[in-house]
Amino acid sequence: MIAGLLGGATGGWVTSLMLGDSEGTSSPTASAEAAPTVIDPGSVAGVVARVLPSVVTIDVTAGAEGGNGSGVIIRSEGYVLTNNHVIAPAANAGGQVMITMSDGTEPVLAEIVGRDASSDLAVLRIPGASGLPAATLGRSGSLVAGAPVIAIGAPFGLSGTVTTGIVSALDRNPTVPAEGGGASVIIGAIQIDAAINPGNSGGPLLDARGQVVGLNTAIATAPGGQAPSGSVGVGFAIPIDYAASVADEIIRTGRATHPYTGVSAATVTAAEARARGTTPGAIIRDVEPAGPAAAAGLLPGDIITRVDDTVVTSTNDLTAATRLHHVGDTVTVTFQRNGVESTARVVLQEQSPG
């Protein structure tokens, strides 16, 4: 699955809306008995009314280029969670990141607390802020397919846009473009059918109670790798359980750490496994001599099929299963060697930025 990112230096997007009346037609007259709309606190409108003050629009300038995205206030002291790809153009080019609150007050210059290309997450801060309306973070681990969700953001620069849908699937690991022309994996992504478009990146995905359960990040690309012009009904959000953990580390230390096993691997598909008489998984190509896998006795040719309770059927699965842990954690790696299944205890180390 290849996905296209939703924010960052996307260029200028303009939406023109034309309204008019035909000659000779008359406007309907409001009934004297019409009652004002009553908002049910438990409805989508009620949820949005409570959460919207916590959603911000992010505008980025990077030289002659610009773009926009979204973010969500996660701490009342002005900390804002968003996607790294939204603010990366400004960070790399010495540009500016401006935050606009949902009430339309003047934009303010944001500080970049820290950012992490691997997880595509970043934390901003509004200088001198206090008492801001922080969103309530929920638990993405409790989501199920079919659960209703609400997305809020600024697609094409249209701040405060609300769309609804359901959780289409869980634990997706789509590959998305990364800085420097490479690729990255969204870990255990939430697949949704709520319409999200360029500018939605970094905005919150809410459950029916208004709790943030994900960060809207990408939409699937059209066949052939061409970027879609808009929502195709297949969107992806970073689970908040993972995003909050990365954000907390960035706030504490200014950076995020990533555990790794010390192997390079390739995917063994189900068809390849049948042809070889082996099993699907991630086959180890190389083992770093001083890395965690080497210390645990893993060898090139071993096929990793599970990390703890997580089934591994591809290299993306292996990356996702590893990143869900912390540096220093010990995990049980199940692997197949010469047709025999074995396990090894691997102590995860920090992956070097290079």
Side-chain angles (χ1 to χ4, degrees):
M1 174 68 71
I2 305 297
L5 300 174
L6 294 172
T10 56
W13 292 90
V14 179
T15 301
S16 298
L17 304 178
M18 300 183 65
L19 304 175
D21 291 324
S22 301
E23 212 174 291
T25 61
S26 59
S27 301
T29 303
S31 167
E33 288 143 11
T37 300
V38 176
I39 298 177
D40 179 352
S43 67
V44 171
V47 167
V48 171
R50 294 195 306 274
V51 180
L52 191 57
S54 303
V55 183
V56 302
T57 299
I58 299 171
D59 291 292
V60 174
T61 57
E65 295 186 355
N68 76 280
S70 307
V72 58
I73 300 170
I74 56 172
R75 295 193 185 183
S76 60
E77 305 95 319
Y79 288 98
V80 173
L81 179 61
T82 187
N83 283 131
N84 173 65
H85 74 260
V86 170
I87 58 99
N92 292 329
Q96 292 186 329
V97 179
M98 306 296 293
I99 288 180
T100 303
M101 302 290 289
S102 64
D103 59 8
T105 53
E106 286 295 313
V108 296
L109 182 64
E111 299 173 349
I112 299 177
V113 178
R115 63 193 190 94
D116 179 54
S118 294
S119 62
D120 195 17
L121 294 167
V123 177
L124 309 176
R125 187 170 185 274
I126 302 172
S130 63
L132 294 184
T136 300
L137 304 187
R139 291 181 53 218
S140 51
S142 63
L143 287 174
V144 295
V149 288
I150 304 165
I152 306 181
F156 307 116
L158 300 171
S159 301
T161 296
V162 179
T163 57
T164 63
I166 62 169
V167 173
S168 300
L170 297 165
D171 297 322
R172 301 297 200 196
N173 297 316
T175 301
V176 297
E179 287 185 59
S184 185
V185 178
I186 302 179
I187 303 303
I190 305 163
Q191 182 183 328
I192 60 173
D193 71 347
I196 52 176
N197 289 283
N200 270 111
S201 268
L205 181 71
L206 311 173
D207 64 12
R209 299 176 62 184
Q211 301 176 122
V212 180
V213 291
L215 208 68
N216 300 315
T217 298
I219 54 178
T221 59
Q226 297 182 357
S229 59
S231 173
V232 293
V234 181
F236 300 99
I238 299 173
I240 197 61
D241 294 353
Y242 179 66
S245 175
V246 173
D248 287 344
E249 187 175 19
I250 289 176
I251 291 171
R252 289 195 322 268
T253 68
R255 59 188 288 267
T257 57
H258 297 289
Y260 85 130
T261 57
V263 304
S264 62
T267 298
V268 178
T269 65
E272 290 170 340
R274 286 194 296 270
R276 297 179 183 180
T278 58
T279 184
I283 186 169
I284 297 176
R285 295 301 189 193
D286 292 296
V287 178
E288 186 174 318
L298 291 171
L299 300 172
D302 292 345
I303 301 174
I304 298 175
T305 58
R306 188 182 295 271
V307 175
D308 283 343
D309 293 329
T310 302
V311 175
V312 173
T313 60
S314 67
T315 55
N316 278 3
D317 289 347
L318 178 59
T319 300
T322 303
R323 286 192 194 164
L324 289 174
H325 293 83
H326 297 92
V327 173
D329 285 355
T330 299
V331 297
T332 299
V333 174
T334 303
F335 63 96
Q336 187 180 90
R337 178 184 296 170
N338 299 325
V340 178
E341 185 174 271
S342 302
T343 61
R345 300 279 285 170
V346 177
V347 181
L348 301 176
Q349 297 177 6
E350 180 178 353
Q351 185 171 16
S352 133

